[in-house]
Amino acid sequence: MNSTELTTMTQAQMIERVGMAKFPQDLTPADRRLLATAAITYGFDPLMGEISIYQGRPFVSIDGRYRKAQETNKLDGVESRPANKQERTDWQIPDGDFFFRAEVYVKGVTRPFVGWGRVRAAETRGGKGFKPVETNPQRMAEKRAEAQALRKAFHIPLPSVEDIGAEETALPF
């Protein structure tokens, strides 16, 4: 489904779509309404996991950000890589943390939009070993970098799912 179809849904239609997603059993009626409103407003599909609710706030997934960027026909590519030693030093990233840089290229723009993604070593421990940040912290740091760069390049003023659990006050971006 594209953004136009999603933004023209009624609240009731979107709440029904929210109910078909894999996570709705945990949502209160107020959360369902909020999720439906945010999905309609920004054209995200909760059924496909592009937007969800966590602790009463809507969060956009990396898949949602990529789809929205592609719909503009202005996305010209994304490149990501682990931060180099100098970048880690400049950002004061300790050993054990995962740190990535992503560049989003937009047609007609001379420089890429840069995003940084970090997973602290502490985020990878203490859980049950099934969260993405525990099982593949490198990819989670990369996704955080991509989400930040995509957010800069294609502004959608909602936080990213990939940042859930990160220490928000200490993030280097």
Side-chain angles (χ1 to χ4, degrees), residues 4-111:
T4 303
E5 293 169 306
L6 293 164
T7 59
T8 58
M9 284 186 159
T10 66
Q11 183 88 357
Q13 289 171 318
M14 186 58 79
I15 288 174
E16 183 178 332
R17 194 162 182 83
V18 166
M20 293 187 293
K22 69 178 186 177
F23 60 84
Q25 63 277 6
D26 299 334
L27 298 181
T28 66
D31 284 344
R32 288 174 190 254
R33 286 190 301 275
L34 176 60
L35 182 56
T37 298
I40 291 167
T41 301
Y42 296 103
F44 288 112
D45 192 344
L47 182 60
M48 306 294 7
E50 293 179 345
I51 189 167
S52 60
I53 293 282
Y54 180 72
Q55 295 183 345
R57 293 179 57 203
F59 284 82
V60 179
S61 74
I62 192 71
D63 293 336
R65 290 198 187 277
Y66 268 112
R67 185 178 61 77
K68 294 299 281 188
Q70 289 166 344
E71 281 184 353
T72 68
N73 291 318
K74 293 182 178 181
L75 180 63
D76 204 22
V78 178
E79 293 181 359
S80 57
R81 61 169 173 78
N84 63 38
K85 185 173 180 151
Q86 185 61 52
E87 291 163 340
R88 292 180 66 87
T89 299
D90 291 347
W91 285 93
Q92 299 177 348
I93 304 299
D95 288 342
D97 285 8
F98 300 88
F99 195 49
F100 270 72
R101 175 188 169 107
E103 296 178 346
V104 169
Y105 296 88
V106 177
K107 293 174 187 170
V109 178
T110 58
R111 289 185 166 72

Side-chain angles (χ1 to χ4, degrees), residues 153-172:
F154 302 96
H155 182 70
I156 297 166
L158 295 173
S160 294
V161 168
E162 291 75 24
D163 290 328
I164 292 174
E167 294 178 35
E168 292 185 27
T169 58
L171 288 175

Side-chain angles (χ1 to χ4, degrees), residues 119-140:
V119 170
R120 287 177 165 68
E123 291 179 75
T124 67
R125 298 186 298 267
K128 295 183 178 9
F130 62 85
K131 293 180 188 173
V133 75
E134 296 167 352
T135 59
N136 194 348
Q138 298 91 340
R139 178 61 184 133
M140 185 55 68

